[in-house]
Amino acid sequence: MSVVIWHNPRCTKSRETLKYLEDHGHKPEVREYLVDVPSVAELKTVLEQLGFSSAREWIRTNEVDYKTLNLKGEDKDDKLLEAMAAHPKLIERPVVIANGKAALGRPPENVLGIL
């Protein structure tokens, strides 16, 4: 089984989720999404895999970029996903992808349902 984690090594929750995966016998492919930025198409696919009804559920509203880009009133997924691809700090992390599904590792135990 292939397991991928969109990881930010500076994020405590991301480090905890990576350790959780490893402690449970998984050796995930680690994608540092701030360096290897996902495309809008990838974000759209993962949004569906997460089961979210809107990109708004997956965007970090406390980031400076969110305020600078004036995204508070934006309700179009395409615009939010474009902003997330252009400013990957806006992507809520960590994201774990396995078995055609995705889960946020907040808390790390959330990923068990897709493994």
Side-chain angles (χ1 to χ4, degrees), residues 27-109:
K27 294 183 181 182
E29 173 189 333
V30 177
R31 179 175 181 178
E32 290 190 29
Y33 70 95
L34 294 175
V35 177
D36 182 8
V37 179
S39 67
V40 172
E42 287 176 293
L43 291 169
K44 195 174 286 192
T45 297
V46 172
L47 177 67
E48 292 171 9
Q49 291 173 328
L50 285 165
F52 292 159
S53 60
S54 168
R56 180 151 302 285
E57 296 176 70
W58 189 22
I59 197 163
R60 296 175 57 86
T61 59
N62 291 330
E63 288 294 327
V64 172
D65 289 338
Y66 180 84
K67 293 170 181 77
T68 303
L69 296 168
N70 197 27
L71 296 173
K72 185 176 183 180
E74 184 57 64
D75 61 354
K76 295 182 181 135
D77 279 352
D78 288 341
K79 295 288 184 188
L80 293 172
L81 294 172
E82 287 170 12
M84 292 164 77
H87 306 273
K89 286 183 182 180
L90 293 171
I91 300 170
E92 184 63 80
R93 72 221 175 224
V95 177
V96 176
I97 304 161
N99 297 313
K101 296 182 181 181
L104 286 179
R106 289 181 173 267
E109 296 81 20

